């Protein structure tokens, strides 16, 4: 049976380190890291995510502010708020919760965030730094950054000689994940909906990352024996066995099958999920250190 990679534990370690760094910053007389979370509209899932981010920020000792704007907010008004936050020295990280309402272009808003406050790592400057291997100065998107920490727990930091397959090519997960694996010296293949014979390709992977959004698509016989399997997917499916109308969360990997073949595997929930918010806190404390002219902490 595969080793279960406990994302809750690793995330708790990251948050503990963020708290310690925050306390050190205050002890040096450099103030508090500040995180501003902006949400437009009343999407219930977004509300839950934002509340959880704000709660964790407070727990870390951050100056945490939340801007909740009505669904009919104009793009101009949102850009004005971003401008104010960019100029506010008490704010080191700005996060705009996606999706945004139809009248607002998410790309325009993300590119308006100052790159040094772009703790989501979506600004072209940070995307470019990651793409060119400038990892020492980039903000890396939180979910792939967290997935990398989970891989490091099993395989160490240098992945030389290993082959990695990333299924999914989104800008938020698949592409930055592939770049991180490349920077760690993996031989990387990115698969997507047009890839031919995905099961055979997946079987070549020492590290297999699934970021697709299709419940249990990756079967046990797609997994190379001993592989490290990182399941980014979060899918809610009906669970009639729990009662009428009930649901449960599953990943993109058929866990019960894959755990019999893999060397190590992340569960859903409790694997990659908890890492995302933890890495947002890590990026924010890093931003505060850089703004204070201190060395960049590493995670
Ligand atoms: P996305 O933007 O929808 O991208 C999905 C990718 O999967 C696309 O590149 C798509 O290929 C590919 N794909 C779709 N069907 C496929 C198939 N049959 N075979 C191979 N590839 C296929 O999704 P995302 O934002 O990257 O998210 C992926 C999953 O991760 C979702 O379940 C999401 O909920 C989850 N997620 C979790 C976290 C977390 O905190 N744990 C964070 C972000 C996302 P094409 O490009 O060809 O369409």
């Amino acid at each position: 049976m595969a080793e279960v990679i406990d994302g809750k534990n690793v995330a708790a370690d990251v948050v503990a380190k963020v708290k310690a760094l925050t306390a050190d910053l205050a002890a040096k007389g450099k103030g508090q890291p500040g995180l501003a979370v902006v949400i437009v509209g009343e999407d219930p899932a977004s509300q839950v995510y934002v509340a959880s981010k704000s709660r964790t920020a407070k727990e870390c000792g951050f100056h945490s502010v939340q801007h909740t704007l009505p669904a009919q907010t104009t793009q101009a008004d949102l850009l004005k708020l971003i401008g104010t936050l960019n100029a506010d020295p008490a704010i080191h990280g700005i996060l705009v919760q996606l999706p945004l309402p139809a009248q607002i272009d998410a790309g325009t808003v993300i590119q308006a965030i100052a790159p040094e406050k772009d703790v989501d790592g979506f600004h072209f400057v940070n995307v470019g730094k990651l793409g060119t291997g400038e990892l020492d100065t980039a903000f890396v998107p939180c979910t792939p950054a967290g997935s990398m920490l989970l891989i490091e727990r099993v395989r160490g930091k240098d992945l030389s000689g290993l082959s990695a397959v990333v299924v999914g090519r989104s800008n938020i997960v698949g592409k930055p994940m592939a770049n991180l694996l490349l920077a760690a010296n993996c031989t990387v293949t990115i698969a997507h909906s047009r890839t031919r014979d995905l099961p055979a390709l997946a079987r070549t992977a020492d590290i297999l990352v699934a970021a697709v959004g299709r419940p249990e698509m990756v079967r046990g016989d797609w997994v190379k024996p001993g592989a490290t399997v990182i399941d980014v997917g979060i899918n809610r499916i009906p669970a009639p066995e729990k009662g009428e109308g009930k649901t449960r969360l599953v990943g993109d990997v058929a866990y019960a099958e894959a755990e019999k073949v893999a060397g190590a595997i992340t569960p859903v929930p409790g694997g990659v999920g908890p890492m995302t918010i933890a890495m947002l806190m890590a990026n924010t404390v890093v931003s505060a250190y850089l703004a204070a002219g201190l060395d960049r902490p590493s995670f």
Side-chain angles (χ1 to χ4, degrees):
M1 283 299 218
E3 174 193 339
V4 180
I5 308 172
D6 186 342
K8 277 195 212 149
N9 251 332
V10 183
D13 288 352
V14 171
V15 168
K17 186 161 184 188
V18 170
K19 283 182 190 168
L21 285 163
T22 302
D24 270 4
L25 197 66
K28 290 184 170 90
K30 303 280 188 185
Q32 273 176 300
L35 176 65
V37 179
V38 181
I39 177 168
V40 186
E42 268 128 43
D43 176 51
S46 294
Q47 302 257 5
V48 172
Y49 288 136
V50 161
S52 167
K53 286 166 187 175
S54 298
R55 200 172 45 243
T56 313
K58 286 199 185 100
E59 188 194 323
C60 287
F62 290 3
H63 163 57
S64 166
V65 287
Q66 187 177 321
H67 293 268
T68 306
L69 307 180
Q72 64 276 16
T73 300
T74 63
Q75 179 165 308
D77 281 345
L78 180 54
L79 290 174
K80 206 165 141 197
L81 172 61
I82 302 288
T84 307
L85 295 170
N86 281 343
D88 183 347
I91 296 298
H92 304 100
I94 302 169
L95 180 142
V96 178
Q97 185 65 42
L98 302 177
L100 290 167
Q103 75 276 14
I104 300 177
D105 177 53
T108 304
V109 172
I110 287 164
Q111 299 313 319
I113 297 171
E116 65 277 12
K117 297 191 180 188
D118 168 40
V119 284
D120 254 341
F122 296 156
H123 192 283
F124 291 150
V125 166
N126 287 310
V127 175
K129 285 181 175 181
L130 174 58
T132 51
E134 287 286 324
L135 292 177
D136 288 348
T137 62
F139 285 115
V140 175
C142 301
T143 301
S147 300
M148 258 335 257
L149 282 192
L150 298 180
I151 293 169
E152 282 174 12
R153 289 281 167 127
V154 183
R155 300 274 190 173
K157 272 191 191 294
D158 185 2
L159 307 177
S160 292
L162 298 178
S163 82
V165 172
V166 180
V167 190
R169 56 173 163 180
S170 71
N171 292 330
I172 293 172
V173 188
K175 283 179 197 156
M177 188 74 233
N179 272 322
L180 286 170
L181 289 161
L182 193 59
N185 300 322
C186 273
T187 304
V188 183
T189 309
I190 307 178
H192 46 76
S193 67
R194 310 295 175 90
T195 299
R196 288 205 189 124
D197 201 356
L198 184 52
L201 177 67
R203 274 192 292 273
T204 66
D206 300 306
I207 296 170
L208 179 61
V209 181
V212 183
R214 291 184 158 242
E216 301 184 324
M217 183 186 83
V218 176
R219 311 308 310 185
D221 65 359
W222 295 28
V223 176
K224 179 176 174 176
T228 301
V229 178
I230 304 294
D231 189 353
V232 181
I234 302 177
N235 309 288
R236 194 165 280 286
I237 61 166
E241 72 280 4
K242 286 167 68 180
E244 207 187 305
K246 297 281 184 193
T247 60
R248 67 190 173 97
L249 288 182
V250 296
D252 290 342
V253 177
Y255 185 87
E257 295 174 18
E259 72 169 342
K260 297 195 178 93
V261 192
I265 185 166
T266 60
V268 176
V272 174
M275 294 303 293
T276 300
I277 290 185
M279 295 317 289
L280 176 68
M281 303 304 136
N283 279 348
T284 306
V285 82
V286 164
S287 177
Y289 267 66
L290 296 177
L294 300 169
D295 286 346
R296 182 185 172 114
S298 61
F299 281 86

